[in-house]
Amino acid sequence: MVTLLAAPAEPLTNAGDTQLVLAALLGIAAVVLLIAWGKVHPFLALILGAAVLGVVAAVPVDKIVTSFSGGVGSTVGGVGLLIALGAMIGGLLAESGGADGIVERVVGRVSGTALPWAMAGVAALIGLPLFFEVGVVLLVPIVLLVSLRVNVPLIKIGIPALAGLSVLHGLVPPHPGPLVAIDALGANLGQTLALGLLVAIPTVIIAGPVFGNFIARYVPATAPAALLPTRRDAADLSPTRPGDGRLDADGDLVTEDDLVNPGTGRPGGAIDEPAGRRSRRAPALWAAVVTVLLPVVLMLLRAIGELTLGEDTAGRKALDIVGTPIIALLAGVIFAMIFLGYRSGFSRTQVSGFLGGSLPPIAGILLIVAAGGGFKQVLVDAGVGDLVANAAEGANLSPLLLGWLVAVGIRVATGSATVATITAAGIVAPLAATLQGPEVALLALAIGCGSLFFSHVNDAGFWLVKEYFGLTVGQTIKSWSVMETIISVVGFLGVLLLDVFI
């Protein structure tokens, strides 16, 4: 996840190392048991798990609350807005028929056996300039529709898409983790980018299509009904009695709760169309494609500007603004409103309904992801990340292995890839001075690989994937967590292999 949750200057507790380890283990165990055995909602389970962790670590109760709230706020501010805007784009794509057009083109051009490879390639391309969660919310409607249309197991094409996004997020600039490592180690950005792409290609193949084809046999996931993009044909609709709804002057269905919650209550849910006043036409394929790619292009232009333009130039400042994820996604929403909504014959009320209807289903996802961020912040603030870092400082290991192991330990303990990257890079930074240019770039990549190791219940990304793909905790661990581990290990082996020849 991209939300940077920095540890405080001093831990919130004076607990010893053994007590901190016990607190982390009990907190994580509490979350897993409450969800898997107690059937407690993940949002509540994460809150209670954070409380268990803090109490066992002897953190004052008021500081537990402050730390958890800060983590929730940071996560919602950084991730929540992106999820909401991405859901709006998905809702407009589904209701206008734009997503159907993309799916029909993909299905028509790619055979069933090649679909996982195509999804991995598309995700990797889109993921080059995108943050992970932005790519997820943009690709999920496409993945769900492709799975439904060609009757391919959801995991078989979902895992390749997630692998493409995750590998690029962890290994290739301009993502925050690689950029932090590059800055801390003094690595050459161009070398890191080139070597990162060399490592990324085989890693995506193994963790994506190869693993996805295997694990799909053991994780029979089905798309959540509330998130499945669907449309209702105008011929199947008719005005209902006043108590259920009525047509306004534009021929749009009006219900009693329109002012409170316009829309259908779920993305892709049917919005009743008028009996005949407004003509409807399917949007052009280019409009649907531009809707998906516009945020990508804007963020990519920002990344190019950071590499080629001076900080104080007008062009750099303009690209920094339009390439901000929130601005880029907002531009995508506005473009979709015009070209998928109004230009396709929908009224302003209906477009508003599509947007409003895309938000209620993600409320639960937002709360769970936010609680995951809060749980992670309590781990960080209690000093668990510092514990792992301190244990690694005295180890007599090669810089590449040390950087990877430290990142792995902090990733597993805190759930934050960014915190793992920052801490590991800081620990091994003195060793970077003894390495040659390409070796420093490989050290940055080794840390990036370690920061992706085994995402589990303390990672907000774990809950994002679980909810979007309708998985249980066990299924998410068997698919998503194992996939992340494969990425980490295969990527690190690729780094070691390059180190032999450089």
Side-chain angles (χ1 to χ4, degrees):
M1 309 297 288
V2 301
T3 308
L4 178 57
L5 304 177
E10 295 293 334
L12 299 179
T13 177
N14 294 321
D17 293 352
T18 302
Q19 187 175 355
L20 283 177
V21 171
L22 180 63
L25 293 176
L26 290 178
I28 293 171
V31 173
V32 174
L33 290 176
L34 284 170
I35 295 172
W37 179 76
K39 306 302 179 185
V40 176
H41 191 276
F43 175 67
L44 293 177
L46 286 163
I47 295 176
L48 295 174
V52 169
L53 188 158
V55 169
V56 176
V59 177
V61 175
D62 60 327
K63 292 184 178 180
I64 296 175
V65 175
T66 301
S67 176
F68 186 86
S69 301
V72 169
S74 297
T75 303
V76 172
V79 179
L81 291 175
L82 303 182
I83 293 175
L85 291 171
M88 287 183 169
I89 291 176
L92 285 167
L93 279 168
E95 281 296 346
S96 67
D100 286 334
I102 295 176
V103 171
E104 288 171 359
R105 182 59 61 92
V106 171
V107 172
R109 296 291 181 88
V110 182
S111 64
T113 57
L115 271 176
W117 298 85
M119 293 306 300
V122 170
L125 180 63
I126 291 179
L128 185 61
L130 283 186
F131 294 140
F132 173 78
E133 61 275 12
V134 181
V136 169
V137 298
L138 286 178
L139 280 180
V140 161
I142 307 300
V143 171
L144 296 181
L145 272 178
V146 169
S147 175
L148 177 68
R149 188 68 55 81
V150 299
N151 197 27
V152 174
L154 179 59
I155 291 298
K156 189 172 182 178
I157 59 174
I159 285 294
L162 293 173
L165 292 171
S166 183
V167 169
L168 272 294
H169 173 74
L171 300 183
V172 180
H175 293 287
L179 286 178
V180 166
I182 289 168
D183 180 69
L185 301 175
N188 180 278
L189 192 147
Q191 290 178 345
T192 307
L193 177 61
L195 294 173
L197 289 175
L198 287 177
V199 173
I201 292 172
T203 304
V204 169
I205 291 173
I206 295 173
V210 175
F211 175 67
N213 185 63
F214 168 78
I215 198 61
R217 308 170 194 169
Y218 305 99
V219 181
T222 57
L227 295 176
L228 193 62
T230 58
R231 300 179 73 241
R232 189 187 305 178
D233 294 333
D236 298 332
L237 301 170
S238 60
T240 56
R241 64 182 182 274
D244 294 328
R246 60 189 183 278
L247 297 178
D248 65 7
D250 292 328
D252 299 322
L253 182 68
V254 179
T255 58
E256 295 178 358
D257 68 339
D258 272 349
L259 294 178
V260 179
N261 181 29
T264 64
R266 64 182 181 87
I271 295 280
D272 287 356
E273 299 185 11
R277 285 202 178 186
R278 289 180 178 269
S279 61
R280 299 284 184 265
R281 64 177 184 274
L285 178 64
W286 70 265
V289 172
V290 171
T291 296
V292 175
L293 293 184
L294 180 60
V296 179
V297 171
L298 291 177
M299 284 183 267
L300 180 59
L301 289 175
R302 179 189 182 186
I304 294 174
E306 291 174 346
L307 299 177
T308 59
L309 301 177
E311 292 187 7
D312 297 329
T313 61
R316 170 70 179 274
K317 292 178 180 179
L319 291 178
D320 283 344
I321 294 174
V322 300
T324 302
I326 292 176
I327 301 298
L329 278 169
L330 180 60
V333 171
I334 295 173
F335 181 90
M337 289 173 63
I338 296 172
F339 289 95
L340 300 183
Y342 308 139
R343 296 285 295 273
S344 294
F346 293 104
S347 69
R348 292 188 299 273
T349 303
Q350 287 175 308
V351 172
S352 176
F354 298 157
L355 296 175
S358 68
L359 295 178
I362 65 170
I365 296 175
L366 285 177
L367 289 174
I368 293 169
V369 171
F375 183 86
K376 174 171 60 181
Q377 189 65 26
V378 176
L379 275 169
V380 173
D381 289 350
V384 175
D386 292 338
L387 172 64
V388 177
N390 294 335
E393 283 183 340
N396 186 19
L397 301 171
S398 72
L400 295 181
L401 181 58
L402 178 62
W404 184 77
L405 288 175
V406 173
V408 165
I410 297 174
R411 160 69 161 181
V412 173
T414 67
S416 172
T418 305
V419 171
T421 300
I422 292 171
T423 307
I427 291 173
V428 301
L431 299 177
T434 65
L435 303 176
Q436 301 298 323
E439 292 179 319
V440 180
L442 290 177
L443 179 57
L445 293 176
I447 292 172
C449 291
S451 71
L452 299 176
F453 191 90
F454 196 72
S455 164
H456 60 103
V457 297
N458 61 355
D459 179 16
F462 177 92
W463 301 104
L464 185 69
V465 172
K466 174 188 177 297
E467 295 302 315
Y468 265 126
F469 285 86
L471 304 175
T472 66
V473 170
Q475 288 176 326
T476 311
I477 291 175
K478 287 192 290 186
S479 55
W480 161 255
S481 300
V482 174
M483 183 206 77
E484 287 283 86
T485 304
I486 292 173
I487 290 173
S488 179
V489 174
V490 172
F492 182 59
L493 291 177
V495 169
L496 294 179
L497 184 61
L498 288 176
D499 188 46
V500 174
F501 296 99
I502 293 180

